[in-house]
């Protein structure tokens, strides 16, 4: 595996692969790899000739009071894990390589970014995501890019960017990978002490409770969300948000009649965690 630091190096490597008619897969990450990241790499390895993984803690998607400085970083460990998964190129640039002096362009996706994490974290968050992903697509020019479904809103935003800007890349969303007790794997799980780690399982348990009443026939949002709220309250967790939204548009839904995204975000101890389930009424038809 090659560890490359510059845009020019990556473009040269990808161009060489293209001359051999090789397909290119990209896994954008901020590092601190866990099994969720590795599952994306395996999917990319199975489907492409050349696999590029970006490792870049993107400063523009963090707010002033968020955890940019504390975000876990261990490039040596991450590189070893990526190499073990058969990754060909680890793109690990400095911030100045991605955002050189005078950088003044921002990608904003209206609508999809106004709710859920866009409302909770502020408009900068998804602007930063959309901008850095657009840059990575321009640098690597992948055939396919792989994202985790845990960041469901991010997947929708990136798909909209690719569609609206006519970027020739397929966005593949891969299933959430969970710990044995149901906690969604996240780089921020390292912030959890023992008590918070135990309580954090309430996020997935709350989603499961909501999914259970949905499976039993409940379709009204209030009834579905009430089941989840009870589980969170029992764990002493007050969510940043707990909402049902249309799975494609993120418009609010009062009653689930198609595919709906049940999404939650909450601070548990020192970590802010997110999770989601998709509820599908169309399967009943």
């Amino acid at each position: 595996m090659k560890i490359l630091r510059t845009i020019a190096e990556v473009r040269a490597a990808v161009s060489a692969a293209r001359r051999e008619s090789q397909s290119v897969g990209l896994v954008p990450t901020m590092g601190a790899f866990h099994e969720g990241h590795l599952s994306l790499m395996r999917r990319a390895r199975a489907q492409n000739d050349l696999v590029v993984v970006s490792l870049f803690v993107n400063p523009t998607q963090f707010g002033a009071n968020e955890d940019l400085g504390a975000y876990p970083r261990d490039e040596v460990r991450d590189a070893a894990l990526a190499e073990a998964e058969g990754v060909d190129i680890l793109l690990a640039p400095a911030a100045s390589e991605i955002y050189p002096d005078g950088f003044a362009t921002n990608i904003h996706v209206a609508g999809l970014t106004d709710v859920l994490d866009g409302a909770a974290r502020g408009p900068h968050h998804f602007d930063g995501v959309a901008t850095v992903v657009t840059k990575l697509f321009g640098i690597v020019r992948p055939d396919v890019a792989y994202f985790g479904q845990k960041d469901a809103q991010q997947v929708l935003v990136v798909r909209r960017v690719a569609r609206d800007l006519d970027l020739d890349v397929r966005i593949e969303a891969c299933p959430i990978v969970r710990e044995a007790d149901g906690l969604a794997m996240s780089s921020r799980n390292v912030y959890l002490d023992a008590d918070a780690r135990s309580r954090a399982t309430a996020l997935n348990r709350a989603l499961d409770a909501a999914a259970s009443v949905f499976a039993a026939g409940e379709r009204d949002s209030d009834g579905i969300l009430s089941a989840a709220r009870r589980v969170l309250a029992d764990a002493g967790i007050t969510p940043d948000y707990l909402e049902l939204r249309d799975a494609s548009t993120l418009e609010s839904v009062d009653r689930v009649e198609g595919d709906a995204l049940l999404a939650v975000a909450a601070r548990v101890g020192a970590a802010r965690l997110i999770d989601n389930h998709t509820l599908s009424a169309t399967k009943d038809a």
Side-chain angles (χ1 to χ4, degrees):
M1 185 183 74
K2 296 178 180 178
I3 300 176
L4 303 182
R5 308 285 180 185
T6 70
I7 292 169
E9 288 174 319
V10 175
R11 283 184 167 161
V14 172
S15 293
R18 291 294 190 195
R19 286 193 292 273
E20 300 296 324
S21 299
Q22 293 184 357
S23 59
V24 179
L26 170 66
V27 182
T29 84
M30 294 204 301
F33 295 157
H34 52 69
E35 185 62 26
H37 295 110
L38 302 185
S39 72
L40 302 182
M41 296 178 203
R42 290 178 198 129
R43 181 79 66 93
R45 178 72 284 161
Q47 295 181 349
N48 299 276
D49 299 310
L50 183 76
V51 175
V52 180
V53 172
S54 64
L55 193 167
F56 179 63
V57 181
N58 178 36
T60 64
Q61 69 190 68
F62 289 79
N65 298 314
E66 294 184 329
D67 59 338
L68 175 60
Y71 198 85
R73 295 167 171 85
D74 190 339
E75 184 183 306
V76 172
R77 172 185 173 276
D78 286 346
L81 289 170
E83 187 165 26
E85 297 298 339
V87 169
D88 298 299
I89 295 172
L90 187 69
L91 168 58
S96 59
E97 182 73 9
I98 301 298
Y99 301 114
D101 287 345
F103 187 87
T105 299
N106 189 54
I107 305 294
H108 176 72
V109 178
L112 289 174
T113 62
D114 296 337
V115 300
L116 301 178
D117 255 29
R121 297 185 65 175
H124 68 275
H125 173 63
F126 283 117
D127 288 0
V129 169
T131 301
V132 77
V133 168
T134 302
K135 288 220 43 158
L136 290 171
F137 289 171
I139 294 165
V140 178
R141 299 185 180 251
D143 297 288
V144 192
Y146 300 83
F147 294 84
Q149 183 62 26
K150 181 176 72 70
D151 298 291
Q153 187 175 13
Q154 175 176 274
V155 171
L156 292 174
V157 169
V158 171
R159 280 183 171 148
R160 182 63 63 83
V161 169
R163 189 198 76 176
D164 289 356
L165 299 183
D166 296 310
L167 305 180
D168 190 17
V169 56
R170 177 167 62 84
I171 308 303
E172 185 159 332
C174 300
I176 298 172
V177 178
R178 300 183 180 278
E179 302 284 359
D181 59 8
L183 179 66
M185 290 192 177
S186 168
S187 298
R188 289 183 168 95
N189 289 351
V190 299
Y191 299 159
L192 299 168
D193 61 22
D195 175 68
R197 175 64 180 75
S198 177
R199 290 195 302 122
T201 62
L203 270 68
N204 185 50
R205 288 189 286 110
L207 299 179
D208 282 343
S212 292
V213 300
F214 175 78
E218 179 65 76
R219 293 294 178 267
D220 287 341
S221 296
D222 286 346
I224 295 168
L225 294 173
S226 291
R229 289 191 191 101
R230 286 192 291 272
V231 175
L232 295 176
D234 288 345
I237 295 173
T238 301
D240 282 1
Y241 59 77
L242 173 65
E243 299 183 29
L244 264 172
R245 298 258 168 190
D246 182 276
S248 297
T249 67
L250 296 185
E251 293 178 0
S252 183
V253 295
D254 295 324
R255 183 174 174 81
V256 179
E257 296 177 341
D259 290 344
L261 181 71
L262 174 63
V264 64
R267 182 163 291 280
V268 185
R272 184 181 183 275
L273 306 175
I274 62 173
D275 204 346
N276 67 83
H277 283 194
T278 299
L279 305 181
S280 181
T282 58
K283 293 180 180 178
D284 299 338

